[in-house]
Amino acid sequence: MKKITVLVLSFIFVLTLSACGGEDLDIGIVLPTRDEPRWVQDEERFEDLLADTDYSVEILFSDGDTSTERENVETLISQGIDVLIITAQDGGAAGAAVEMAKDEGITVIAYDRLITDTEAVDYYVTFDSIQVGEAQAQYLVDQAGDTEGNPLYLYAGGTFDNNAFLFFEGAWNILQPKIADGTFDVINSSEAVALSDTAELTRSEMSDIMGQIDTEWDFEQAITLAESDLTSASAAEKGEVFILAPNDGTARSIADTFADDDDVTEYHITGQDAESESIQYIIDGQQSMTVFKDVRILVEDAYNMAIDVLEDNEIETTGTYDNGEIDVPSKQTEVITVTQDNVIEEIFDS
């Protein structure tokens, strides 16, 4: 009996040693959802880059839920990661999760979405989000030319996402002078009309406008907003219209809604992300433009930064972003405007 007990205890001891002796993960990655092709492609690109290295990685998805996101971070912390790359579902809510990681000495890299109101962010890898909004707005300005009184419909991304504010800030930089001088008449936001003489909006003022035009990055919500706006608008507020749509998914939804209105004779609509469905829309003349953000480069930037952290190399940054608590050192990637004129060159040939 004693011999059996000793054997059992020895077996348990060996298992314990084995569990304790397992190798820790090097990099943990948290992405927001599998429901959008963009993030699944990011997963594949990260895996491809890391497959040829000796570094270990685990990629988890938060399913669009901040509680799941926090659980994912806790899981990765328990696996001993040294670097956390995270795309926040909600930039404000993610602060508590990354603070846990920071307390464990983990380097936190905010990926594509800035995490706000916390000091627990070491770096931010992003596209130049303000430049995205400026590119969208500049396209609309170029299409309007010298004519006045052009109906302008504004739509914004989800206000839970700090990037949505940056996109809108960039767009406002370009659109506001053209609203003030009468080139555009804003149809669907009384707050934007009231602030049409204000060149630089405060965060609160942006929130007031965006609260009226918030798609929540949701296709159905975008359709609901567009339908409501068109129902409220007069025939004179239709005709040839100009539409600021925040991304490709909402652009397709809004474009289809406007196309179904008999009083809309022509529309110019923006987008971003160069999603395959929107590339086809552009080819077919159903979407006017998209802002191409080459995610391959963004993934490489985040990957290279993580490797530099692990190897104690100097970290390359190109600017900073104020997250409400600190100025976060950032690596920014340029963006490209894509229309029918250059879609072959920029998308297919590249």
Side-chain angles (χ1 to χ4, degrees), residues 132 135-137 139-140 245 248 251 268-272 278 282 287-291 336-340:
V132 171
Q136 292 174 329
Y139 178 84
L140 297 178
D248 283 347
H268 308 273
I269 187 166
T270 66
Q272 71 165 301
S278 280
I282 289 172
Q287 183 174 324
S288 309
M289 64 85 76
T290 187
V291 178
I336 301 167
T337 296
V338 175
T339 66
Q340 273 190 341

Side-chain angles (χ1 to χ4, degrees), residues 69-70 73-74 77 84 86 91-109 115-122 323 325-326:
E69 178 178 81
R70 183 186 176 100
V73 173
E74 289 174 338
I77 291 171
L84 172 66
I86 177 170
V98 297
E99 284 164 7
M100 291 190 299
K102 192 65 180 171
D103 288 344
E104 296 297 324
I106 296 165
T107 298
V108 175
I109 300 173
I115 299 171
T116 58
D117 302 318
T118 179
E119 296 182 359
V121 184
D122 294 286
N323 78 342
E325 195 69 30
I326 59 171

Side-chain angles (χ1 to χ4, degrees), residues 188-304:
N188 65 331
S189 171
S190 59
E191 293 289 348
V193 173
L195 291 163
S196 60
D197 291 328
T198 306
E200 293 187 17
L201 298 173
T202 65
R203 181 82 171 202
S204 176
E205 289 169 336
M206 270 195 284
S207 293
D208 290 340
I209 297 174
M210 292 169 65
Q212 293 183 321
I213 58 175
D214 183 1
T215 66
E216 300 173 11
W217 296 126
D218 181 81
F219 305 164
E220 294 301 323
Q221 175 65 7
I223 292 170
T224 298
L225 282 175
E227 289 176 340
S228 176
D229 292 339
L230 288 169
T231 300
S232 301
S234 66
E237 294 172 323
K238 298 178 183 180
E240 182 180 4
V241 301
F242 297 77
I243 307 166
L244 178 75
N247 73 339
D248 283 347
T250 57
R252 295 191 300 273
S253 297
I254 295 166
D256 290 345
T257 306
F258 273 74
D260 287 340
D261 191 302
D262 292 337
D263 291 324
V264 175
T265 58
E266 184 179 2
Y267 62 82
H268 308 273
I269 187 166
T270 66
Q272 71 165 301
D273 291 333
E275 293 180 359
S276 57
E277 297 93 333
S278 280
I279 295 303
Q280 189 61 55
Y281 262 52
I282 289 172
I283 292 169
D284 295 339
Q286 296 172 278
Q287 183 174 324
S288 309
M289 64 85 76
T290 187
V291 178
F292 178 35
K293 305 182 300 183
D294 194 338
V295 177
R296 294 169 297 182
I297 297 174
L298 196 71
V299 169
E300 288 178 9
D301 286 344
Y303 159 82
N304 288 331

Side-chain angles (χ1 to χ4, degrees), residues 29-46 59-62 64 86-89 111-113 125 127 161 163 217 247 273 275 293 295 298-299:
I29 302 174
V30 178
L31 299 175
T33 178
R34 286 186 180 274
D35 292 339
E36 295 179 29
R38 153 72 196 282
W39 304 114
V40 177
Q41 291 172 350
D42 279 18
E43 176 190 31
E44 294 170 354
R45 288 164 179 152
F46 274 118
I59 302 174
L60 302 176
F61 284 84
S62 299
I86 177 170
T87 303
Q89 173 62 29
Y111 175 69
D112 200 34
R113 294 178 182 171
V125 175
F127 294 102
D161 179 0
N163 277 0
W217 296 126
N247 73 339
D273 291 333
E275 293 180 359
K293 305 182 300 183
V295 177
L298 196 71
V299 169

Side-chain angles (χ1 to χ4, degrees), residues 151-171:
L152 175 64
Y153 291 80
L154 302 173
Y155 298 97
T159 52
F160 56 81
D161 179 0
N162 186 68
N163 277 0
F165 285 87
L166 298 174
F167 298 144
F168 190 80
E169 179 183 345

